[in-house]
Amino acid sequence: MKRWKWAVAWLAQILIMLAVGSLAALAELLGAAAYGAAAWAAVPLAGMWTACRATRRGLLNYAAWIAPPACMWLTHWLIWGYSPEPGPALFCALTSLVGAAAGEVLKQQEAGK
C-alpha cells in the first residue's frame, strides 16, 4: 500500500480541488464580490494546502502543483462552458507551487530528524 500512497494523495487532492473549484464557479451566481473572493482567495488557498499535503504524503512536488489550477479551469469550463479569467488561475498555480515547495521542505525536515 505504501507504493500507492502518492496516487491516493493525488486522487484526494484532485477530488478536493474539483469540489472547491465547483463551489468557486457557482459563486458567480452570487455576484462579482463572492466570485472574486472564491476565485482569488479560496481556490488559491485550497490549492496551496492540498499541494503541500499531497507532497508530504508522497506525491512528487513537481506534480503536486498541477491539479489545483487544472481543476479550477476544468470545473469552470464544465459548469459555464468557458474558462475562468487567467488571473485567478495563474495565481492558483503560483500558490500551489509555493505549497508544493513548502511540503517538500517539511518532508525533508521530518526525514532529517
Side-chain angles (χ1 to χ4, degrees):
M1 182 64 181
K2 186 170 175 126
R3 190 168 90 164
W4 294 102
K5 195 173 180 182
W6 68 269
V8 173
W10 205 8
L11 179 63
Q13 179 190 28
I14 291 169
L15 292 175
I16 290 168
M17 290 311 301
L18 286 173
V20 172
S22 296
L23 291 174
L26 291 172
E28 200 169 311
L29 295 171
L30 301 175
Y35 177 71
W40 283 97
V43 176
L45 287 174
M48 185 186 312
W49 180 76
T50 60
C52 182
R53 295 295 301 164
T55 301
R56 292 182 73 191
R57 294 185 185 268
L59 181 61
L60 186 64
N61 63 327
Y62 297 112
W65 70 271
I66 297 171
C71 290
M72 179 184 190
W73 187 91
L74 179 66
T75 55
H76 201 280
W77 182 76
L78 288 173
I79 291 172
W80 298 113
Y82 55 89
S83 63
E85 295 179 18
L90 290 172
F91 185 59
C92 179
L94 175 65
T95 59
S96 299
L97 185 64
V98 170
E104 182 65 25
V105 169
L106 291 170
K107 188 168 72 171
Q108 288 177 2
Q109 285 178 351
E110 290 170 356
K113 286 186 177 179

